[in-house]
């Protein structure tokens, strides 16, 4: 990550035409806002961890593997960070920071595995934004980023937490993670950005200006 004071990006369309040289430059405000998002998400992650067994148990019983759909709540940080900051590394940074905060507050999954999961999940979203060269921030791209985070979560969890699982479980878990990620982390994060933009909180970001113009 590289911090620099860069001019504002005046993009006003869903497909940003910002100069490539500015795409990789992080401003101080980018770091601050991404950090705030990461910390806030980390607290939410911690709270979701406390409620996890209660909310996921019915799904585990009804259809083992489908609990991954609810686990997608842990995926929104990376997608939200990417959509707001619109810079390379934002999804990984926000997701990993959220995991670090969650681990520091306390989690039943252990510090290292929690942080590692946040990194992998953020990377799943980051790769989708990279695929679109950090120029497209539409709802479909957000949904794909959420799905990418969900796929990252599924691969990571199946390798570390469910080694040797039955094929049926693997299929259900993966589909649930991808769909949950697309809806919860992808679509909801995109609408959350529009909601934040409407308040003026993102006025220093292209994401905020674009959302207000298209509203």
């Amino acid at each position: 990550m590289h911090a620099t004071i860069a001019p504002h990006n005046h993009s006003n369309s869903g497909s940003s035409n910002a100069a490539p040289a500015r795409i990789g430059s992080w401003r101080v405000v980018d770091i601050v806002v991404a950090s705030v998002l990461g910390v806030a998400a980390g607290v939410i992650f911690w709270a979701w961890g406390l409620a996890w067994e209660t909310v996921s148990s019915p799904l585990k019983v009804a259809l083992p593997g489908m609990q991954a759909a609810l686990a997608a709540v842990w995926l929104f940080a990376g997608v939200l960070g990417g959509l707001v900051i619109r810079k390379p590394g934002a999804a990984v940074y926000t997701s990993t920071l959220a995991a670090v905060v969650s681990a520091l507050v306390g989690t039943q999954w252990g510090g290292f595995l929690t942080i590692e999961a946040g990194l992998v999940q953020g990377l799943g979203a980051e790769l989708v934004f990279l695929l679109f060269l950090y120029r497209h921030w539409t709802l479909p791209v957000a949904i794909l980023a959420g799905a990418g985070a969900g796929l990252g979560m599924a691969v990571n969890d199946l390798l570390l937490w469910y080694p040797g699982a039955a094929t049926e479980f693997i299929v259900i878990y993966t589909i649930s993670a991808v769909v949950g990620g697309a809806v919860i982390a992808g679509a909801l994060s995109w609408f959350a950005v529009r909601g934040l933009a409407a308040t003026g909180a993102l006025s220093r970001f292209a994401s905020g200006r674009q959302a207000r113009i298209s509203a």
Side-chain angles (χ1 to χ4, degrees):
M1 184 189 311
H2 173 64
T4 182
I5 306 297
H8 291 172
N9 180 357
H10 292 287
S11 168
N12 61 357
S13 67
S15 300
S16 172
N17 294 318
R22 297 298 182 197
I23 290 178
S25 301
W26 281 60
R27 303 167 299 167
V28 172
V29 69
D30 295 330
I31 298 172
V32 171
V33 171
S35 299
V36 170
L37 290 175
V39 171
V43 175
I44 294 174
F45 287 179
W46 165 76
W48 190 239
L50 294 179
W52 177 245
E53 285 304 320
T54 300
V55 299
S56 65
S57 292
L59 289 182
K60 291 178 181 176
V61 173
L63 186 61
M66 199 164 64
Q67 68 269 22
L70 293 179
V73 170
W74 282 302
L75 304 177
F76 81 88
V79 180
L80 183 62
L83 291 174
V84 170
I85 307 301
R86 296 187 172 185
K87 301 287 176 62
V92 168
Y93 175 74
T94 310
S95 179
T96 304
L97 178 58
V100 169
V101 171
S102 176
L104 289 175
V105 176
T107 171
Q108 60 268 47
W109 294 284
F112 174 77
L113 290 177
T114 297
I115 296 170
E116 172 270 335
L119 175 63
V120 172
Q121 293 157 10
L123 185 60
E126 188 77 46
L127 290 175
V128 173
F129 293 135
L130 173 62
L131 181 65
F132 289 92
L133 303 178
Y134 300 99
R135 291 178 176 276
H136 300 273
W137 308 98
T138 59
L139 177 59
V141 172
I143 290 173
L144 285 175
L151 181 60
M153 179 182 73
V155 172
N156 185 71
D157 289 358
L158 290 169
L159 288 174
L160 296 181
W161 296 98
Y162 304 105
T167 301
E168 181 182 8
F169 180 88
I170 292 173
V171 171
I172 294 173
Y173 196 92
T174 301
I175 293 175
S176 299
V178 170
V179 173
V183 175
I184 297 175
L188 293 185
S189 291
W190 190 84
F191 285 110
V193 170
R194 292 181 67 86
L196 288 171
T199 68
L202 303 179
S203 60
R204 298 191 65 184
F205 295 88
S207 54
R209 294 191 292 274
Q210 174 196 321
R212 298 190 72 176
I213 290 173
S214 59

